[in-house]
Amino acid sequence: MQPQQPHIAHEPAAPEQRLNRARTVLLPLVAGLVLGAAGTGVAWALSGGDAPSGGGPAADARAACQALDGFDPGRFTAKGSAGEIAYNRYAAAGVLSASAAAGDARYEPLAKAIRHSQDRHAITFEFDATVMKDLDHARALCEDA
């Protein structure tokens, strides 16, 4: 028969251990808040930096057109910030146009043209003639607005 191990009472965590646990919880929280604020700043910058005067669907459509205006398909696969900018502007144009169309059916053709270009691009992984046709149509809609 083996001798029993003595019962050792667990002592409360030392102040250093409590501090490490607090850091483990707080650091991801702070990082999430910082990244969220950065995302809001990027969206604000893409919309021209000013608060939309009227807000709503018209402002979303204008912001979608601004993002599309700054989008260069030739840079979509570029390395570094040029590729990130192109990718994010293309995505922003799609999301903002969808928001505009949800608020006002007048913007559905814009949202549809951008969505078709994005859907086709997701299939082909290139900006072929069909993708460019939809992009050109979306840009023409922006010019008419």
Side-chain angles (χ1 to χ4, degrees):
M1 180 169 187
Q2 291 191 1
Q4 287 186 334
Q5 295 290 330
H7 177 71
I8 300 174
H10 294 283
E11 294 185 29
E16 184 178 305
Q17 289 175 327
R18 284 193 299 260
L19 183 60
N20 286 338
R21 287 183 194 151
R23 284 184 187 151
T24 302
V25 172
L26 289 176
L27 287 178
L29 177 64
V30 170
L33 290 172
V34 169
L35 289 174
T40 301
V42 168
W44 181 64
L46 284 175
S47 70
D50 296 328
S53 58
D60 288 342
R62 281 192 305 274
C65 288
Q66 287 175 338
L68 195 59
D69 186 47
F71 170 63
D72 179 1
R75 293 179 180 236
F76 192 81
T77 57
K79 300 289 185 203
S81 63
E84 290 178 40
I85 290 168
Y87 176 86
N88 287 315
R89 285 186 181 271
Y90 194 37
V95 171
L96 289 164
S97 66
S99 178
D104 188 332
R106 290 181 294 166
Y107 301 112
E108 182 58 37
L110 175 63
K112 188 175 181 179
I114 295 172
R115 184 175 56 249
H116 282 173
S117 74
Q118 290 174 333
D119 289 348
R120 174 70 181 173
H121 182 265
I123 293 169
T124 63
F125 298 105
E126 61 181 283
F127 289 93
D128 64 8
T130 305
V131 175
M132 292 309 297
K133 179 181 171 187
D134 288 326
L135 275 176
D136 291 342
H137 180 62
R139 287 182 168 139
L141 291 169
C142 285
E143 288 175 11
D144 292 342

